[in-house]
Amino acid sequence: MKTVTKLLAAAFLAGSSTSALAATPDTRLQALQDQISALSKQVNDLKADTQKQESSLKQQQDDAKARDVEAKKQIVAAAKPGIANGRLSVTSGDGAFSANLRGLLQVDTGYYSQGGGSKNLPSAYGPDLSSGINLRRVFLGVQGKVFSDWSYYFLYDFGGAATETQGHIMYAYLQYDGLGPFAVRVGAYAPPINIEDSTPSSDLMFFERNSPSNMQRNIAGSEGRDAITVLYTGERLFGAVSLTGNKIQDGAKALQVGSTTPAANYDEQAAVATRFSYMPVSTNDAHWIVGVNGLHVFKLPDLTQAGTANLSTTPGATARSSYTLSDYPEFTVDSNGTQLVSTGAMAAGHVTSWGVETAGNYQNVYGQAGYTSYSVTRSPMAYGVYAAASGTPATQVVHPSNDSFYGWYMQGSWIITGESRPYSAATATFGAPKPAKNFSIKDGTWGAFEIVARYSDLNLNSHKNDPSSLITGWTNTAKTYTFFNTVRGGDQRIVTAGLNWYLNPAVRIAVDYQYIDVSRLQSQTTPATATTGSSATLPTLKGGQKLSTIGLRFQLSI
């Protein structure tokens, strides 16, 4: 404004001096007005130019800020691909998103050495176990997280125990981690049941989980189980409470534990499972955990439609709810899937299991042990009972005694190259050792070697010599007795010794030897017959055997 004033003053003085004498007052006034108008236009033009410059400068500043923000976003969101131990992974720059390829290949080959007496056993008791080769596990999937607080896991299996499969869901879950150390998981997966159950298949010390733990996990857990779980994963305390249903791969079929033939399923199973573990010792050289677990199947799957006759009302009908407890002999190359111990189908209302367990390491030595109890609440059963020879049977309802079974194991390892089994607080388990030096012919290094040993005992006998019986058949020459309390699942004891060679964190070669001793009295559909006038006699036929196995595994885990 001062500049404008000076211009006006100068113009006025100049006009006055040059034309003061020549111009009339009106002329001088008009000339002055013209000069003022011209100067005002110059001032307005100057203001407009200044505003344009200021607006342009502000736009440039805004554009620069926007470019800076976008550049930062691009830097933060930039994907970081990588490969660690053969596993392809992609992670966003801020770590909020990730995707990791997961894969596991286990190729097993083995031989069963059975005594000549086994050839005389009925087919259900494993007279001729099939030696050969099997793709035990062929896992392929992806695991990661989204928006920091959400994690996911999708995994398919194309292998299988005894025979390979065409592929089925092992894991498909979503988990919220924003309440750490608490988390909530929902989908299909293996809900935490015990130490062996929570240990990844790639990190198992032996070819298979020990039978007591494996049978427990199959009751209400194992891979592909529909479930929702609340987890607590602290540094020393681990806890999990799960509500579980059927296995997702069963679909509309309910595959009973130990059965290879699905039965119609009209209502799914419902159970609650828990596992708690505490670490009283945690040092650089030693870790020790103790734990308890339990599960209760409060709703068994219905095998008949509502209102249809069942064993509690009609002799010989299909039980609305029944359960079978059984397990493989810790080695699954046999293509027939034979299970040497099995209770057979038991009409039941509930199934309960609990256990105590412990595990720990000291430098390169590791030990683990557990005891598990199983109980089956039996349901009433109806039989056609005879009172005289060639008479008409009358329906009689009996309620079998509840059954109790048990199993226990102890196992350990010595890593002769000095590595240790690392502890994972996320699962309260110990993983496979990582070689200090990977196998390399060029460098003359050999990886890590681990010697392992285990003893397990699974006893599925209950009331095996109970004489309680009914006459379910009677002719002029003989009577047929059914012992309704007797469960002769057998007692399976296994000694295993093995060697694990970890060539690097991804490749492992393992050799396992097993000595299996099964003590079992045969059960029969018509358990015993006696001549008329004689009393009931429990069957004494032997269904057990002693055998050995030798197995070789090649494993790739990424």
Side-chain angles (χ1 to χ4, degrees):
M1 196 64 187
K2 291 181 179 179
T3 302
V4 174
T5 304
K6 290 180 179 179
L7 289 173
L8 292 173
F12 177 78
L13 293 175
S16 298
S17 59
T18 57
S19 58
L21 298 177
T24 64
D26 292 338
T27 303
R28 291 196 299 273
L29 180 60
Q30 183 63 44
L32 184 60
Q33 289 176 344
D34 292 341
Q35 292 177 357
I36 292 174
S37 297
L39 290 173
S40 296
K41 184 178 183 304
Q42 294 178 8
V43 170
N44 291 333
D45 291 343
L46 181 62
K47 287 182 178 181
D49 291 340
T50 302
Q51 289 176 350
K52 288 181 180 180
Q53 292 176 1
E54 290 178 348
S55 177
S56 177
L57 179 61
K58 186 177 184 304
Q59 184 62 45
Q60 292 176 4
Q61 292 174 342
D62 291 343
D63 291 343
K65 288 181 180 180
R67 287 193 298 270
D68 184 57
V69 170
E70 184 63 26
K72 289 181 178 179
K73 286 182 178 180
Q74 291 178 358
I75 292 174
V76 170
K80 297 179 180 179
I83 296 180
N85 298 323
R87 181 183 300 170
L88 177 64
S89 64
V90 180
T91 305
S92 63
D94 60 353
F97 301 85
S98 67
N100 302 282
L101 182 67
R102 301 301 304 267
L104 175 64
L105 171 65
Q106 292 178 340
V107 182
D108 293 351
T109 181
Y111 174 74
Y112 295 92
S113 176
Q114 297 177 268
S118 65
K119 301 294 184 182
N120 299 321
L121 293 172
S123 59
Y125 294 80
D128 186 14
L129 300 174
S130 173
S131 304
I133 189 169
N134 181 41
L135 297 180
R136 176 62 181 93
R137 296 178 176 93
V138 184
F139 292 175
L140 183 62
V142 62
Q143 184 178 26
K145 63 180 179 179
V146 293
F147 296 100
S148 299
D149 292 336
W150 299 88
S151 55
Y152 62 89
Y153 194 9
F154 298 97
L155 190 70
Y156 280 78
D157 182 20
F158 299 89
T163 57
E164 295 81 1
T165 66
Q166 295 182 352
H168 59 270
I169 293 174
M170 299 288 282
Y171 289 84
Y173 71 73
L174 177 66
Q175 178 172 306
Y176 181 66
D177 303 309
L179 301 174
F182 287 95
V184 180
R185 180 182 300 172
V186 62
Y189 51 93
I193 300 291
N194 52 52
I195 294 177
E196 285 283 90
D197 167 74
S198 300
T199 302
S201 300
S202 58
D203 292 346
L204 294 174
M205 294 168 54
F206 304 89
F207 282 25
E208 303 296 335
R209 296 173 172 88
N210 64 77
S211 287
S213 297
N214 196 52
M215 193 177 76
Q216 185 190 37
R217 76 193 295 259
N218 275 312
I219 295 173
S222 74
E223 292 86 355
R225 181 77 64 176
D226 291 329
I228 179 170
T229 301
V230 177
L231 295 157
Y232 180 89
T233 54
E235 292 184 3
R236 290 179 176 266
L237 180 64
F238 173 89
V241 179
S242 306
L243 179 64
T244 75
N246 271 11
K247 289 185 179 180
I248 193 170
Q249 57 263 31
D250 292 341
K253 301 291 185 180
L255 186 61
Q256 294 293 292
V257 176
S259 172
T260 57
T261 304
N265 181 205
Y266 297 97
D267 279 323
E268 291 189 7
Q269 174 177 297
V272 61
T274 62
R275 181 192 169 209
F276 295 95
S277 179
Y278 177 69
M279 176 176 284
V281 175
S282 178
T283 68
N284 291 333
D285 291 333
H287 302 84
W288 175 42
I289 61 173
V290 293
V292 296
N293 58 65
L295 62 87
H296 178 65
V297 183
F298 56 85
K299 173 65 179 67
L300 290 175
D302 286 351
L303 306 183
T304 62
Q305 297 182 36
T308 302
N310 57 70
L311 277 178
S312 65
T313 61
T314 304
T318 301
R320 179 172 296 161
S321 297
S322 65
Y323 217 80
T324 299
L325 293 174
S326 62
D327 194 57
Y328 297 107
E330 299 178 359
F331 188 57
T332 60
V333 172
D334 173 45
S335 59
N336 297 313
T338 305
Q339 295 166 318
L340 300 179
V341 286
S342 175
T343 62
M346 299 173 288
H350 307 290
V351 178
T352 303
S353 178
W354 61 267
V356 293
E357 54 187 359
T358 185
N361 64 6
Y362 177 71
Q363 296 180 354
N364 60 333
V365 177
Y366 175 79
Q368 182 180 323
Y371 174 89
T372 308
S373 173
Y374 321 88
S375 62
V376 178
T377 303
R378 300 298 299 275
S379 296
M381 301 173 65
Y383 292 94
V385 178
Y386 287 82
S390 303
T392 301
T395 299
Q396 182 175 338
V397 177
V398 295
H399 196 150
S401 299
N402 294 338
D403 295 308
S404 296
F405 313 96
Y406 70 88
W408 66 277
Y409 74 94
M410 57 182 181
Q411 62 191 42
S413 78
W414 174 42
I415 305 173
I416 58 180
T417 47
E419 294 86 350
S420 64
R421 284 189 159 262
Y423 176 73
S424 170
T427 58
T429 62
F430 293 82
K434 300 296 187 294
K437 296 181 179 180
N438 294 336
F439 171 76
S440 172
I441 295 179
K442 177 181 178 181
D443 298 332
T445 53
W446 293 92
F449 291 88
E450 179 184 38
I451 297 174
V452 296
R454 177 168 71 194
Y455 178 83
S456 69
D457 184 358
L458 179 61
N459 192 317
L460 297 183
N461 293 320
S462 183
H463 308 102
K464 71 175 183 177
N465 292 316
D466 192 322
S468 301
S469 61
L470 298 171
I471 301 176
T472 54
W474 195 341
T475 68
N476 291 324
T477 59
K479 291 183 289 187
T480 301
Y481 293 89
T482 296
F483 299 88
F484 55 85
N485 278 336
T486 302
V487 178
R488 293 178 163 183
D491 188 358
Q492 174 181 275
R493 296 171 292 273
I494 302 178
V495 177
T496 306
L499 175 67
N500 294 321
W501 180 16
Y502 302 91
L503 287 80
N504 50 56
V507 179
R508 168 188 170 191
I509 299 175
V511 178
D512 274 10
Y513 168 82
Q514 287 186 0
Y515 176 75
I516 305 171
D517 182 1
V518 178
S519 174
R520 185 176 182 185
L521 293 173
Q522 290 185 23
S523 299
Q524 298 173 318
T525 305
T526 54
T529 59
T531 59
T532 300
S534 300
S535 60
T537 302
L538 282 159
T540 58
L541 296 174
K542 303 293 185 180
Q545 60 174 308
K546 295 178 175 62
L547 67 148
S548 299
T549 71
I550 184 71
L552 176 65
R553 167 171 289 178
F554 299 90
Q555 174 177 300
L556 170 66
S557 174
I558 59 173

